[in-house]
Amino acid sequence: MATSLGLKKPMIAITGSAGKSTTKEMLAAILRRKWKVFKTPANHNLYSHTRNYAKQLKRGSYRAAVLEYGLSAKGHIRLHCQAIRPDISIVTNIGTAHLGSFGGDIKKLIRAKSEIIRYMSPSGMAVYNIDDANSRAMPKGNFRGTLVTVGIQSAKADYRAQNISYGKGGMNFSVKIDGTSQRFFIPIYGRHQVYNGLCAIAVASRLGFTPAEIRAGLRNYTRMQSRLTVRRVPSGALVIDDTYSANPNAAKAAIDVLSAIGGKNKVAVLGNMLSLGQYTKIGHRGVGSYIAKKRVTYLYTYGKYAYQIGSSAVAAGFNSNHWRHFTSRPALHQSLRKHLQQGTTFLVKGSHATNMKQTVLYLVRSKK
């Protein structure tokens, strides 16, 4: 627990292809039940930001820091660690985000992400997702501290979520802590979000926080905007706004949420996924094949690369009459109008630069 870690002022750093900001907010909300905590503002996670945070931490009377370490190239995580050396690290997962910056080579991306373990305090604690093969493959360098695993599928996970269910406004799940099963709720949809909750639970538990304190923090954490935010619009339809960013793994996870909570008509509106480099075509096609296996009623794609999502979905068996592709946003919006009714759920997703938020705003403001 806290004394076994021997940390008077833990510096906690989080990296990963997805879930950094959500995990940070979850963990910070728990720690703030008792402590004054510094956290990365919004998703300002460049190493230049971390250098500035180091100065703020020296001036402030913080009990702990929860930081995001972002990267877009090899060596970026090392620069973060040189600015603020973590005692505790979390790797949420290693997927397809920023894969284009590494020439489509997943092994290079894995090694770049592993810098958080190789350059943190060698006697600290590193948390990672044991269900994720890429995270398991990370080289550990000279790290001789404590490795803590989270998971859903693997029985070997130190913190394993079981009895997972969709509830009103979020996910319910159980985790054994010190041999006793504890029930938790996170106010966000998605089985993949449970992994983020597990990472926060693992660290907070090891720092001595009680299950009751962890429960309260998770239930009240600050939600990030446009990350699986569900809104009911004037027409009676639901809109799942997941427009902050996109990569193939995150797109598939969002489609799972649409399938799970959507009404009679489930409409996926998907824009380009950027920064994939050589993986662009394969990544978009993979999302299309995935859609064909899910309970999606209509598919709308927007942008040059997103065409591959639709064509791949149809090739995998999706009804071709239920797919439409657009390169004009006004035309897309006009076509979506006919679905603005009770019983329809829209999922809107795309890379930030694709500006799919405009489509969300259109749906929210439209009465029919």
Side-chain angles (χ1 to χ4, degrees), residues 99-145:
L99 191 55
S101 300
F102 294 86
D105 189 335
I106 191 65
K107 291 182 179 179
K108 291 180 180 179
L109 177 58
I110 291 170
R111 185 162 183 81
K113 291 287 187 185
S114 76
E115 290 175 5
I116 200 167
I117 297 178
R118 292 186 287 124
Y119 293 101
M120 67 178 287
S121 171
S123 58
M125 182 177 79
V127 179
Y128 69 94
N129 177 358
I130 197 172
D131 291 343
D132 177 35
N134 293 334
S135 295
R136 293 197 305 271
M138 287 187 297
K140 310 302 190 298
N142 295 322
F143 183 75
R144 57 181 184 274

Short mmCIF file of all heavy atoms in Angstrom, two decimals, residues 99-145:
data_model
loop_
_atom_site.label_atom_id
_atom_site.label_comp_id
_atom_site.label_asym_id
_atom_site.label_seq_id
_atom_site.Cartn_x
_atom_site.Cartn_y
_atom_site.Cartn_z
N LEU A 99 0.73 5.83 -35.51
CA LEU A 99 1.52 4.78 -36.15
C LEU A 99 2.20 5.30 -37.41
O LEU A 99 3.29 4.86 -37.77
CB LEU A 99 0.61 3.60 -36.48
CG LEU A 99 1.29 2.30 -36.93
CD1 LEU A 99 2.32 1.83 -35.90
CD2 LEU A 99 0.24 1.21 -37.15
N GLY A 100 1.57 6.29 -38.06
CA GLY A 100 2.17 6.85 -39.26
C GLY A 100 3.51 7.53 -39.01
O GLY A 100 4.37 7.58 -39.89
N SER A 101 3.70 8.03 -37.78
CA SER A 101 4.96 8.68 -37.43
C SER A 101 6.10 7.68 -37.28
O SER A 101 7.26 8.07 -37.18
CB SER A 101 4.80 9.45 -36.11
OG SER A 101 3.81 10.44 -36.24
N PHE A 102 5.75 6.39 -37.28
CA PHE A 102 6.76 5.35 -37.12
C PHE A 102 6.80 4.44 -38.35
O PHE A 102 7.19 3.28 -38.26
CB PHE A 102 6.48 4.53 -35.85
CG PHE A 102 6.63 5.34 -34.59
CD1 PHE A 102 5.56 6.09 -34.10
CD2 PHE A 102 7.83 5.40 -33.91
CE1 PHE A 102 5.69 6.87 -32.96
CE2 PHE A 102 7.98 6.17 -32.77
CZ PHE A 102 6.91 6.90 -32.29
N GLY A 103 6.39 5.02 -39.49
CA GLY A 103 6.45 4.28 -40.74
C GLY A 103 5.55 3.06 -40.77
O GLY A 103 5.81 2.12 -41.54
N GLY A 104 4.51 3.06 -39.93
CA GLY A 104 3.62 1.91 -39.87
C GLY A 104 4.20 0.71 -39.14
O GLY A 104 3.61 -0.37 -39.13
N ASP A 105 5.36 0.90 -38.49
CA ASP A 105 6.05 -0.20 -37.80
C ASP A 105 5.63 -0.22 -36.33
O ASP A 105 6.07 0.61 -35.53
CB ASP A 105 7.56 -0.01 -37.92
CG ASP A 105 8.36 -1.21 -37.42
OD1 ASP A 105 7.83 -1.96 -36.57
OD2 ASP A 105 9.50 -1.39 -37.86
N ILE A 106 4.80 -1.17 -35.95
CA ILE A 106 4.29 -1.23 -34.58
C ILE A 106 5.40 -1.49 -33.57
O ILE A 106 5.34 -1.03 -32.43
CB ILE A 106 3.17 -2.30 -34.45
CG1 ILE A 106 2.45 -2.18 -33.09
CG2 ILE A 106 3.73 -3.69 -34.66
CD1 ILE A 106 1.70 -0.91 -32.89
N LYS A 107 6.44 -2.21 -33.97
CA LYS A 107 7.55 -2.49 -33.05
C LYS A 107 8.27 -1.21 -32.63
O LYS A 107 8.69 -1.06 -31.48
CB LYS A 107 8.54 -3.47 -33.68
CG LYS A 107 7.98 -4.88 -33.85
CD LYS A 107 9.01 -5.82 -34.44
CE LYS A 107 8.43 -7.23 -34.58
NZ LYS A 107 9.43 -8.16 -35.19
N LYS A 108 8.39 -0.27 -33.57
CA LYS A 108 9.03 1.01 -33.25
C LYS A 108 8.15 1.82 -32.31
O LYS A 108 8.65 2.49 -31.40
CB LYS A 108 9.31 1.79 -34.54
CG LYS A 108 10.39 1.18 -35.41
CD LYS A 108 10.63 2.01 -36.66
CE LYS A 108 11.73 1.40 -37.54
NZ LYS A 108 11.94 2.19 -38.79
N LEU A 109 6.84 1.78 -32.53
CA LEU A 109 5.92 2.49 -31.64
C LEU A 109 5.95 1.89 -30.24
O LEU A 109 5.96 2.62 -29.25
CB LEU A 109 4.50 2.44 -32.21
CG LEU A 109 3.40 3.10 -31.36
CD1 LEU A 109 3.69 4.56 -31.10
CD2 LEU A 109 2.04 2.95 -32.05
N ILE A 110 5.97 0.57 -30.15
CA ILE A 110 6.05 -0.10 -28.84
C ILE A 110 7.29 0.35 -28.10
O ILE A 110 7.24 0.66 -26.91
CB ILE A 110 6.04 -1.64 -29.03
CG1 ILE A 110 4.68 -2.11 -29.51
CG2 ILE A 110 6.42 -2.33 -27.72
CD1 ILE A 110 4.65 -3.57 -29.95
N ARG A 111 8.42 0.38 -28.79
CA ARG A 111 9.67 0.78 -28.13
C ARG A 111 9.60 2.23 -27.67
O ARG A 111 10.08 2.59 -26.58
CB ARG A 111 10.86 0.56 -29.06
CG ARG A 111 12.20 0.85 -28.37
CD ARG A 111 13.37 0.26 -29.08
NE ARG A 111 14.61 0.52 -28.33
CZ ARG A 111 15.02 -0.19 -27.30
NH1 ARG A 111 14.30 -1.20 -26.87
NH2 ARG A 111 16.14 0.11 -26.67
N ALA A 112 9.00 3.10 -28.48
CA ALA A 112 8.87 4.51 -28.12
C ALA A 112 8.00 4.68 -26.87
O ALA A 112 8.31 5.46 -25.97
CB ALA A 112 8.31 5.31 -29.28
N LYS A 113 6.89 3.94 -26.81
CA LYS A 113 6.02 4.01 -25.64
C LYS A 113 6.71 3.46 -24.39
O LYS A 113 6.49 3.94 -23.28
CB LYS A 113 4.72 3.22 -25.89
CG LYS A 113 3.79 3.84 -26.92
CD LYS A 113 3.10 5.08 -26.37
CE LYS A 113 2.05 5.58 -27.34
NZ LYS A 113 1.44 6.86 -26.89
N SER A 114 7.56 2.44 -24.58
CA SER A 114 8.23 1.80 -23.44
C SER A 114 9.24 2.72 -22.76
O SER A 114 9.71 2.40 -21.66
CB SER A 114 8.94 0.52 -23.89
OG SER A 114 10.15 0.81 -24.58
N GLU A 115 9.54 3.85 -23.37
CA GLU A 115 10.46 4.80 -22.75
C GLU A 115 9.95 5.24 -21.38
O GLU A 115 10.74 5.59 -20.50
CB GLU A 115 10.67 6.02 -23.65
CG GLU A 115 11.46 5.71 -24.91
CD GLU A 115 11.55 6.91 -25.85
OE1 GLU A 115 11.08 8.02 -25.47
OE2 GLU A 115 12.07 6.76 -26.97
N ILE A 116 8.64 5.22 -21.18
CA ILE A 116 8.09 5.66 -19.89
C ILE A 116 8.53 4.72 -18.77
O ILE A 116 8.73 5.15 -17.63
CB ILE A 116 6.56 5.79 -19.94
CG1 ILE A 116 6.07 6.69 -18.81
CG2 ILE A 116 5.87 4.44 -19.92
CD1 ILE A 116 4.63 7.13 -18.94
N ILE A 117 8.71 3.43 -19.09
CA ILE A 117 9.19 2.48 -18.09
C ILE A 117 10.71 2.52 -18.00
O ILE A 117 11.30 2.48 -16.92
CB ILE A 117 8.71 1.05 -18.43
CG1 ILE A 117 7.18 0.99 -18.36
CG2 ILE A 117 9.32 0.02 -17.47
CD1 ILE A 117 6.59 -0.36 -18.73
N ARG A 118 11.36 2.65 -19.13
CA ARG A 118 12.82 2.62 -19.16
C ARG A 118 13.47 3.86 -18.56
O ARG A 118 14.62 3.81 -18.10
CB ARG A 118 13.30 2.41 -20.60
CG ARG A 118 12.96 1.01 -21.13
CD ARG A 118 13.54 0.71 -22.48
NE ARG A 118 12.86 1.43 -23.56
CZ ARG A 118 13.46 2.21 -24.43
NH1 ARG A 118 14.76 2.45 -24.34
NH2 ARG A 118 12.77 2.80 -25.39
N TYR A 119 12.72 4.99 -18.54
CA TYR A 119 13.30 6.24 -18.03
C TYR A 119 12.62 6.76 -16.77
O TYR A 119 12.93 7.85 -16.30
CB TYR A 119 13.30 7.31 -19.12
CG TYR A 119 14.23 6.97 -20.26
CD1 TYR A 119 13.75 6.44 -21.45
CD2 TYR A 119 15.61 7.14 -20.13
CE1 TYR A 119 14.59 6.10 -22.50
CE2 TYR A 119 16.46 6.81 -21.17
CZ TYR A 119 15.95 6.29 -22.35
OH TYR A 119 16.80 5.96 -23.37
N MET A 120 11.70 6.01 -16.20
CA MET A 120 11.10 6.37 -14.92
C MET A 120 12.04 5.94 -13.80
O MET A 120 13.11 5.38 -14.04
CB MET A 120 9.74 5.70 -14.76
CG MET A 120 9.80 4.18 -14.62
SD MET A 120 8.18 3.40 -14.37
CE MET A 120 7.85 3.89 -12.68
N SER A 121 11.64 6.19 -12.57
CA SER A 121 12.43 5.70 -11.44
C SER A 121 12.54 4.18 -11.53
O SER A 121 11.51 3.49 -11.61
CB SER A 121 11.75 6.07 -10.12
OG SER A 121 12.38 5.43 -9.04
N PRO A 122 13.74 3.63 -11.56
CA PRO A 122 13.90 2.18 -11.78
C PRO A 122 13.35 1.33 -10.65
O PRO A 122 13.17 0.12 -10.82
CB PRO A 122 15.42 2.01 -11.92
CG PRO A 122 16.01 3.20 -11.24
CD PRO A 122 15.04 4.32 -11.45
N SER A 123 13.05 1.94 -9.51
CA SER A 123 12.50 1.18 -8.39
C SER A 123 11.02 1.52 -8.14
O SER A 123 10.47 1.20 -7.10
CB SER A 123 13.30 1.46 -7.11
OG SER A 123 13.30 2.85 -6.81
N GLY A 124 10.39 2.18 -9.12
CA GLY A 124 9.00 2.61 -8.97
C GLY A 124 8.00 1.52 -9.31
O GLY A 124 8.27 0.32 -9.19
N MET A 125 6.82 1.95 -9.76
CA MET A 125 5.76 1.01 -10.10
C MET A 125 5.22 1.33 -11.49
O MET A 125 4.91 2.48 -11.79
CB MET A 125 4.61 1.11 -9.09
CG MET A 125 3.47 0.13 -9.35
SD MET A 125 2.17 0.20 -8.09
CE MET A 125 1.28 1.66 -8.63
N ALA A 126 5.14 0.31 -12.34
CA ALA A 126 4.63 0.47 -13.70
C ALA A 126 3.36 -0.36 -13.87
O ALA A 126 3.35 -1.55 -13.56
CB ALA A 126 5.68 0.04 -14.72
N VAL A 127 2.31 0.27 -14.37
CA VAL A 127 1.02 -0.38 -14.57
C VAL A 127 0.76 -0.49 -16.07
O VAL A 127 0.94 0.48 -16.81
CB VAL A 127 -0.12 0.45 -13.90
CG1 VAL A 127 -1.47 -0.22 -14.14
CG2 VAL A 127 0.15 0.63 -12.41
N TYR A 128 0.32 -1.67 -16.52
CA TYR A 128 0.00 -1.81 -17.94
C TYR A 128 -1.12 -2.83 -18.13
O TYR A 128 -1.45 -3.62 -17.23
CB TYR A 128 1.23 -2.18 -18.76
CG TYR A 128 1.78 -3.58 -18.53
CD1 TYR A 128 1.39 -4.65 -19.33
CD2 TYR A 128 2.67 -3.84 -17.49
CE1 TYR A 128 1.88 -5.92 -19.14
CE2 TYR A 128 3.18 -5.11 -17.28
CZ TYR A 128 2.77 -6.15 -18.10
OH TYR A 128 3.26 -7.41 -17.88
N ASN A 129 -1.70 -2.81 -19.33
CA ASN A 129 -2.83 -3.66 -19.70
C ASN A 129 -2.32 -5.01 -20.20
O ASN A 129 -1.78 -5.10 -21.30
CB ASN A 129 -3.65 -2.94 -20.78
CG ASN A 129 -4.81 -3.76 -21.31
OD1 ASN A 129 -5.02 -4.89 -20.92
ND2 ASN A 129 -5.57 -3.16 -22.21
N ILE A 130 -2.51 -6.05 -19.40
CA ILE A 130 -1.98 -7.37 -19.75
C ILE A 130 -2.74 -8.01 -20.90
O ILE A 130 -2.24 -8.92 -21.57
CB ILE A 130 -1.99 -8.30 -18.50
CG1 ILE A 130 -1.08 -9.51 -18.73
CG2 ILE A 130 -3.42 -8.72 -18.16
CD1 ILE A 130 -0.90 -10.38 -17.49
N ASP A 131 -3.96 -7.53 -21.18
CA ASP A 131 -4.73 -8.07 -22.31
C ASP A 131 -4.21 -7.57 -23.65
O ASP A 131 -4.54 -8.14 -24.69
CB ASP A 131 -6.21 -7.68 -22.18
CG ASP A 131 -6.91 -8.37 -21.03
OD1 ASP A 131 -6.37 -9.37 -20.52
OD2 ASP A 131 -8.00 -7.90 -20.63
N ASP A 132 -3.42 -6.51 -23.63
CA ASP A 132 -2.92 -5.88 -24.85
C ASP A 132 -1.55 -6.46 -25.20
O ASP A 132 -0.57 -6.23 -24.48
CB ASP A 132 -2.83 -4.36 -24.65
CG ASP A 132 -2.25 -3.64 -25.85
OD1 ASP A 132 -2.51 -4.09 -26.99
OD2 ASP A 132 -1.52 -2.65 -25.67
N ALA A 133 -1.48 -7.21 -26.30
CA ALA A 133 -0.24 -7.87 -26.69
C ALA A 133 0.89 -6.87 -26.90
O ALA A 133 2.06 -7.16 -26.58
CB ALA A 133 -0.46 -8.69 -27.96
N ASN A 134 0.59 -5.69 -27.45
CA ASN A 134 1.63 -4.70 -27.68
C ASN A 134 2.20 -4.17 -26.37
O ASN A 134 3.40 -3.91 -26.27
CB ASN A 134 1.07 -3.55 -28.51
CG ASN A 134 0.72 -3.98 -29.92
OD1 ASN A 134 1.27 -4.93 -30.45
ND2 ASN A 134 -0.22 -3.27 -30.54
N SER A 135 1.35 -4.00 -25.37
CA SER A 135 1.83 -3.54 -24.06
C SER A 135 2.69 -4.63 -23.40
O SER A 135 3.70 -4.33 -22.76
CB SER A 135 0.66 -3.17 -23.15
OG SER A 135 -0.04 -2.06 -23.66
N ARG A 136 2.30 -5.87 -23.56
CA ARG A 136 3.10 -6.97 -22.99
C ARG A 136 4.47 -7.04 -23.63
O ARG A 136 5.43 -7.50 -23.00
CB ARG A 136 2.38 -8.32 -23.20
CG ARG A 136 1.10 -8.48 -22.41
CD ARG A 136 0.70 -9.97 -22.34
NE ARG A 136 0.59 -10.61 -23.63
CZ ARG A 136 -0.51 -10.65 -24.37
NH1 ARG A 136 -1.62 -10.07 -23.92
NH2 ARG A 136 -0.53 -11.28 -25.54
N ALA A 137 4.57 -6.60 -24.88
CA ALA A 137 5.83 -6.70 -25.62
C ALA A 137 6.81 -5.58 -25.32
O ALA A 137 7.93 -5.58 -25.84
CB ALA A 137 5.53 -6.74 -27.12
N MET A 138 6.43 -4.61 -24.48
CA MET A 138 7.33 -3.49 -24.20
C MET A 138 8.63 -3.94 -23.56
O MET A 138 8.61 -4.69 -22.58
CB MET A 138 6.66 -2.49 -23.24
CG MET A 138 5.57 -1.66 -23.82
SD MET A 138 5.01 -0.38 -22.64
CE MET A 138 4.36 -1.41 -21.32
N PRO A 139 9.79 -3.47 -24.06
CA PRO A 139 11.05 -3.74 -23.36
C PRO A 139 11.09 -2.93 -22.07
O PRO A 139 10.65 -1.79 -22.03
CB PRO A 139 12.12 -3.27 -24.36
CG PRO A 139 11.42 -2.28 -25.24
CD PRO A 139 9.99 -2.73 -25.32
N LYS A 140 11.60 -3.54 -21.00
CA LYS A 140 11.59 -2.89 -19.69
C LYS A 140 12.94 -2.26 -19.32
O LYS A 140 13.03 -1.60 -18.28
CB LYS A 140 11.20 -3.90 -18.60
CG LYS A 140 9.92 -4.70 -18.89
CD LYS A 140 8.72 -3.84 -19.10
CE LYS A 140 7.41 -4.64 -19.14
NZ LYS A 140 7.34 -5.61 -20.25
N GLY A 141 13.99 -2.49 -20.11
CA GLY A 141 15.29 -1.90 -19.82
C GLY A 141 15.81 -2.33 -18.47
O GLY A 141 15.75 -3.52 -18.11
N ASN A 142 16.29 -1.38 -17.68
CA ASN A 142 16.86 -1.67 -16.36
C ASN A 142 15.83 -1.55 -15.24
O ASN A 142 16.20 -1.49 -14.07
CB ASN A 142 18.04 -0.74 -16.08
CG ASN A 142 19.20 -0.98 -17.03
OD1 ASN A 142 19.49 -2.13 -17.38
ND2 ASN A 142 19.85 0.09 -17.47
N PHE A 143 14.56 -1.49 -15.59
CA PHE A 143 13.52 -1.33 -14.57
C PHE A 143 13.52 -2.54 -13.64
O PHE A 143 13.45 -3.69 -14.08
CB PHE A 143 12.15 -1.19 -15.24
CG PHE A 143 11.03 -0.95 -14.27
CD1 PHE A 143 10.88 0.29 -13.67
CD2 PHE A 143 10.14 -1.97 -13.93
CE1 PHE A 143 9.84 0.52 -12.78
CE2 PHE A 143 9.11 -1.75 -13.04
CZ PHE A 143 8.97 -0.50 -12.46
N ARG A 144 13.61 -2.29 -12.34
CA ARG A 144 13.64 -3.37 -11.35
C ARG A 144 12.57 -3.16 -10.27
O ARG A 144 12.62 -3.77 -9.21
CB ARG A 144 15.02 -3.45 -10.70
CG ARG A 144 15.48 -2.18 -10.03
CD ARG A 144 16.88 -2.33 -9.41
NE ARG A 144 17.26 -1.13 -8.69
CZ ARG A 144 17.84 -0.07 -9.24
NH1 ARG A 144 18.11 -0.08 -10.54
NH2 ARG A 144 18.17 0.98 -8.50
N GLY A 145 11.62 -2.30 -10.59
CA GLY A 145 10.57 -2.01 -9.62
C GLY A 145 9.41 -3.00 -9.72
O GLY A 145 9.59 -4.16 -10.09
#
